[in-house]
Amino acid sequence: MNGQKQKFSELKKQAREAMAGRCGTLVGATAINLFLTFSCSLIPTLIFSGTTLYDIIFLNLTLFLFSLLLSLFQAGYLKICLSTLRGEPISVGDMLYAFYHHPDQYVLMFLIINGISSVIALISSIPGFQYLSSPSAELLGTALSIEAELSSLMNVYVYKLIGSLVSTLVLVPFSLSTFVMNDAPGIGPIQAIRQSFAMMKKNFFRYILLLLSFLGLEILASCSCLLYTSDAADDKA
């Protein structure tokens, strides 16, 4: 950027121009990425659907292992995105980039990053376990306990939300690690993380603001999904 920080609108304009004529490949890669993300979250949840401490521990361990596999695919997805901005050839097959370019180094890096995220997620799920293990959980759905039930559930979701926010903030300095690894095949995970930290040092809050600039679009997309789901439910009724 020639030492001068660009406005977010300029960055988004460059991204739109780079995507011209490549939307088909990008949409296909994005669809695969979303499907894998959904599957890696759903499958462990279906397997460990209990409410005991062991269920919660094994659920988080399984989610962690699935997240490692998912991260390898997402490294390829980010490779596609970066190649698009650079005007380089892309294909959906690039989703497998990390699998044949020093996958061991990618796995080591994601062990560190995903490990931090999993620990935060496990800590934030403790209030949920405490609620599900409490006597009030046995009164779920009764008229006498509805207010206490809603209050407890609200606390559970608040802790989960706080956990998600903390995880996002803690992992911001790691955000460019995958890009560094993609750009320098064979580089060690620690070097990639260090370079990411160095690049994000003066761009921490700017990066967060960039993420927040997409919040309106994400809310609009969520509302569209809710409207579709509501209409589909009405049609079935």
Side-chain angles (χ1 to χ4, degrees), residues 40 62-72 110 114 118:
C40 287
T62 308
L63 285 172
F64 175 69
L65 294 176
F66 271 73
S67 72
L68 289 178
L69 177 62
L70 178 63
S71 294
L72 291 175
F110 291 131
N114 294 5
S118 296

Side-chain angles (χ1 to χ4, degrees), residues 105 109 181 184 186-193:
Q105 299 300 317
M109 182 180 71
M181 190 78 81
I187 189 175
I190 300 300
Q191 292 103 314
I193 290 173

Side-chain angles (χ1 to χ4, degrees), residues 10-83:
E10 294 175 350
L11 293 174
K12 293 176 182 179
K13 181 180 179 181
Q14 289 179 8
R16 287 195 299 269
E17 292 174 349
M19 290 171 59
R22 301 183 172 200
C23 288
T25 302
L26 290 169
V27 168
T30 301
I32 293 173
N33 184 51
L34 291 174
F35 173 76
L36 291 173
T37 301
F38 177 75
S39 299
C40 287
S41 299
L42 179 63
I43 294 174
T45 304
L46 293 176
I47 296 175
F48 300 102
S49 57
T51 59
T52 66
L53 177 60
Y54 292 108
D55 284 322
I56 292 177
I57 291 176
F58 281 114
L59 171 61
N60 281 276
L61 286 175
T62 308
L63 285 172
F64 175 69
L65 294 176
F66 271 73
S67 72
L68 289 178
L69 177 62
L70 178 63
S71 294
L72 291 175
F73 284 103
Q74 290 183 333
Y77 179 72
L78 293 179
K79 174 68 175 176
I80 293 175
C81 295
L82 188 60
S83 296

